[in-house]
Amino acid sequence: MSKKSKRAVVLLSGGLDSSTLAYYVKDIGYDLYTITFDYGQRSRRELNSAEEIGRILGVKEHKFIKINLREIGGSALTDELEVPKGREEMPATEDPQIPITYVPARNTIFLSISLAYAEVVGADAIFYGANCLDYSGYPDCRPEYIDAFREVARLGTKRGVEGSPIRIETPFLFYDKSQIVKKALELNVPIEKTWSCYEDGEEPCGKCESCLLRKKGIESVFLERAKRSLK
Ligand SMILES: [Zn+2]
């Protein structure tokens, strides 16, 4: 008799963090059920990246959910507001302001839909690439928020009531960008196929906060390797 497969839902945006996360979840032995949200983000390229990463990984199912958050607005990622450039002078974690790239309650919306999907496909866990060190001050990336959502999963689903709540896993919560890059290299993630930029276009803008964090992470890993090779 074949062993029952372990199933996991992975939130896959097509960016570096969530793509690395999907590789990681596959590596630890799960069958992947990826979910990608087309929420009206200005970066359409990330949807192509998500599709491609899912295909390369051979996921069991890749769910694309359309939910138009432009109807609600309130963010530079969905509205015709300018995406801030060059925030690297002030580390996001020391800036008390929640940036305009925050999408109101986005992660609660995404996690809620992922929870429904996980319950239907019989997944044991939802993996979510939240990150609270290099994060941009977004309230829905904080550890206390994740803990609160675990309670939602426990109290608000049939699975939870029956005593086997769907786990919410955030293995990269305390990783900085360079640790994520190292993990990506270790797992042979095709980094060049991922898209982190908040803008759309042929090439990443190189100036938005997401581009800057990605660049900093990649540079620090290669700089460290170069220094070691000189010893
Ligand atoms: Zn950018």
Side-chain angles (χ1 to χ4, degrees):
M1 212 169 68
S2 68
K3 204 169 141 250
K4 194 175 173 286
S5 65
K6 286 196 300 179
R7 298 176 176 186
V9 167
V10 180
L11 280 84
L12 178 62
S13 70
L16 174 63
D17 298 13
S18 69
S19 300
T20 305
L21 181 68
Y23 272 74
Y24 168 81
V25 176
K26 186 174 185 181
D27 190 58
I28 58 175
Y30 282 94
D31 282 344
L32 301 185
Y33 290 78
T34 39
I35 186 165
T36 299
F37 293 93
D38 176 357
Y39 62 95
Q41 62 269 56
R42 60 163 80 199
S43 166
R44 311 305 294 169
R45 282 287 303 263
E46 68 179 26
L47 297 169
N48 300 341
S49 290
E51 200 273 327
E52 200 173 1
I53 295 289
R55 192 161 36 77
I56 297 168
L57 269 170
V59 301
K60 291 282 170 197
E61 185 174 70
H62 196 162
K63 194 64 103 179
F64 281 82
I65 301 282
K66 252 194 158 125
I67 173 164
N68 189 5
L69 296 183
R70 278 186 190 226
E71 303 245 3
I72 294 173
S75 169
L77 297 196
T78 53
D79 297 359
E80 299 312 315
L81 300 167
E82 206 168 319
V83 171
K85 300 286 163 72
R87 249 170 69 113
E88 86 270 44
E89 314 81 45
M90 160 111 60
T93 39
E94 285 165 29
D95 184 351
Q97 292 272 328
I98 293 173
I100 197 161
T101 49
Y102 165 69
V103 181
R106 180 181 64 181
N107 293 344
T108 305
I109 296 165
F110 287 3
L111 280 171
S112 300
I113 295 172
S114 303
L115 188 58
Y117 182 45
E119 197 164 28
V120 171
V121 300
D124 299 320
I126 294 170
F127 283 81
Y128 161 47
N131 181 267
C132 68
L133 292 182
D134 272 343
Y135 84 129
S136 305
Y138 300 141
D140 48 4
C141 290
R142 291 177 301 164
E144 53 268 50
Y145 167 76
I146 311 291
D147 281 340
F149 200 85
R150 289 190 174 110
E151 279 299 281
V152 171
R154 192 174 67 79
L155 295 171
T157 60
K158 182 168 175 276
R159 282 275 302 269
V161 170
E162 289 172 354
S164 59
I166 294 156
R167 302 185 329 267
I168 311 294
E169 301 276 4
T170 55
F172 299 163
L173 194 59
F174 298 103
Y175 276 34
D176 65 19
K177 213 49 147 191
S178 67
Q179 286 172 296
I180 291 174
V181 172
K182 276 184 200 156
K183 191 48 107 182
L185 293 170
E186 189 187 309
L187 295 168
N188 291 318
V189 177
I191 294 177
E192 71 289 353
K193 294 194 194 309
T194 67
W195 183 270
S196 302
C197 184
Y198 286 149
E199 303 270 17
D200 213 24
E202 281 301 303
E203 298 289 328
C205 79
K207 297 190 184 86
C208 72
E209 184 170 27
S210 187
C211 278
L212 292 173
L213 277 173
R214 176 186 170 112
K215 204 153 63 177
K216 205 174 105 190
I218 293 173
E219 276 171 4
S220 73
V221 170
F222 283 95
L223 209 65
E224 195 188 300
R225 289 189 172 183
K227 274 184 194 154
R228 248 186 297 148
S229 71
L230 291 172
K231 273 181 192 159

